[in-house]
Amino acid sequence: MRFEGLKMARSHNILVLNIGSTTTKAAVFENDCPKFKETIPHDSELTAPLSGYMEQFPLYLERVEKFLAGHHIDVGQLDIIVSRGGLTAPLSSGVYLIDQRMCDDLRSGKYGQHPTNLGPLIANDLALQAGIRAVIVDSPSTDEFHPLARISGIPEIERKSAFHALNQKAAAGMAAGEMGISYAESNMVVAHLGGGITVGAHCQGKVIDSTIGVGEGPLTPERTGTLPLMALLRLLESGQLSLADLRRQLTSEGGLLAYLGTSDISLVETRIRQGHEKALLLLQAMAYQIAKEVGAMSTVLHGKVDSIVLTGGLANSAMLVDSIIDRVKFIAPVKVYPGEQEMVALAAGALRVLSGTEAIKYYGQPE
């Protein structure tokens, strides 16, 4: 991702935080250049005794503070802090100030519980210490859904937008740049392939439909994806599975882990090379389900798709990517961006605010 049109009068120091379900990623950027960065694994032995994510706040804050101290960075040296967003009220895409109302909603979990809720809270805490602004960019709660995408099947349940907006939009922007077209004038299907998998339909710069990260879409390394509803109800009625058990399987004990005992895609590939037929079946099933969602989202775009984009950590798996491409290449050209573009995308959003090229938005205020 580039920073065209940004004219810097001076250098800016930006702390970038991305807290996910398995790692905390922290970096300090000088303008568009990362000076220091670390990926800090979440130690299950440290976090297991804690009953909820909010109770983990001091631990996560301490890790970020150790990152800063290790690189001799004082918060007073920073110009802005930017975090991956958490589960908030629906937002349009853009850069939002982290304020008390947003923090209260994240703490309460009223829009959902996820480790990402901690990132803005930590950013806000550090920003208050330094007397600077803290922001989020293209939140997971970004909502640009078409009205048709909201209909579920019963009035009491509305489909909500909750997907990897930051990485999907960053990868789509990269693809548009490579093709010499504007993201705002393109149609793309973008699949974020990671611990969570989401597949979105990008129409003229807006994500008008997407699978959500939990309980919908393909199976993932640790999540179930969509399940057969009636069979699930019968399982709950049988007493074999409690509601708490189901919640764990949906979010962290399903998918490849439930079938193979591992969520490590590299280990799955190793087993396949050793001739393990079950490992091959499960990897192909995940690719099959991802491809089905890509096909479904292409119909949302009336078949007018400029590119299919695969991104995220699992896009490093040649076996998985090749299997997906084999099924979807007839729809449109496929571009692959392994890994996540999120840290650069976060820094870019903060830099646009600092340079004055993008106006900051405020949580809960109409645009």
Side-chain angles (χ1 to χ4, degrees), residues 246-292:
L246 174 59
R247 191 178 301 276
R248 284 197 301 272
Q249 288 218 342
L250 285 170
T251 59
S252 61
E253 295 180 2
L256 297 183
L257 181 62
Y259 282 94
L260 301 175
T262 182
S263 59
D264 185 338
I265 194 70
S266 62
L267 180 56
V268 174
E269 289 182 319
T270 297
R271 291 181 184 178
I272 291 170
R273 287 190 288 269
Q274 294 172 344
H276 292 215
E277 293 183 3
K278 187 175 181 180
L280 176 60
L281 176 66
L282 265 295
L283 184 133
Q284 289 180 337
M286 187 160 65
Y288 173 85
Q289 292 182 15
I290 293 165
K292 276 207 302 184

Side-chain angles (χ1 to χ4, degrees), residues 182-197:
S182 166
Y183 171 60
E185 297 175 351
S186 66
N187 285 353
M188 299 187 191
V189 177
V190 183
H192 171 97
L193 311 177
I197 294 175

Side-chain angles (χ1 to χ4, degrees), residues 225-237:
T226 302
L227 295 172
L229 184 56
M230 298 309 294
L232 180 62
L233 290 175
R234 286 194 295 271
L235 186 60
L236 284 171
E237 289 170 349

Side-chain angles (χ1 to χ4, degrees), residues 144-146 168-169 172 182-190 200-210 297-302 304-307:
E144 301 166 329
F145 270 20
H146 189 282
Q168 280 204 28
K169 283 181 173 279
S182 166
Y183 171 60
E185 297 175 351
S186 66
N187 285 353
M188 299 187 191
V189 177
V190 183
H202 295 236
C203 179
Q204 310 293 293
K206 293 184 182 294
V207 184
I208 61 172
D209 197 354
S210 176
M297 291 301 168
S298 71
T299 69
V300 171
L301 300 172
H302 299 277
K304 298 175 182 178
V305 182
D306 294 303
S307 181

Side-chain angles (χ1 to χ4, degrees), residues 97-272:
L97 183 73
I98 300 171
D99 60 13
Q100 190 60 49
R101 183 174 175 181
M102 181 187 293
C103 290
D104 288 345
D105 282 354
L106 291 168
R107 286 193 185 92
S108 72
K110 64 186 292 187
Y111 295 102
Q113 294 282 3
H114 193 274
T116 53
N117 288 9
L118 292 168
L121 299 178
I122 291 171
N124 186 62
D125 188 277
L126 295 173
L128 289 174
Q129 293 179 38
I132 58 177
R133 291 175 293 181
V135 298
I136 61 172
V137 179
D138 289 340
S139 163
S141 297
T142 295
D143 188 349
E144 301 166 329
F145 270 20
H146 189 282
L148 290 173
R150 302 187 189 280
I151 306 300
S152 70
I154 60 173
E156 292 81 5
I157 298 176
E158 180 181 277
R159 289 190 70 243
K160 302 287 188 180
S161 177
F163 68 107
H164 301 88
L166 181 66
N167 197 45
Q168 280 204 28
K169 283 181 173 279
M174 293 172 65
E178 281 191 10
M179 293 186 292
I181 60 177
S182 166
Y183 171 60
E185 297 175 351
S186 66
N187 285 353
M188 299 187 191
V189 177
V190 183
H192 171 97
L193 311 177
I197 294 175
T198 55
V199 183
H202 295 236
C203 179
Q204 310 293 293
K206 293 184 182 294
V207 184
I208 61 172
D209 197 354
S210 176
T211 62
I212 66 171
V214 177
E216 200 178 281
L219 67 89
T220 85
E222 296 181 350
R223 300 177 188 174
T224 63
T226 302
L227 295 172
L229 184 56
M230 298 309 294
L232 180 62
L233 290 175
R234 286 194 295 271
L235 186 60
L236 284 171
E237 289 170 349
S238 73
Q240 297 178 52
L241 195 68
S242 70
L243 191 58
D245 292 336
L246 174 59
R247 191 178 301 276
R248 284 197 301 272
Q249 288 218 342
L250 285 170
T251 59
S252 61
E253 295 180 2
L256 297 183
L257 181 62
Y259 282 94
L260 301 175
T262 182
S263 59
D264 185 338
I265 194 70
S266 62
L267 180 56
V268 174
E269 289 182 319
T270 297
R271 291 181 184 178
I272 291 170

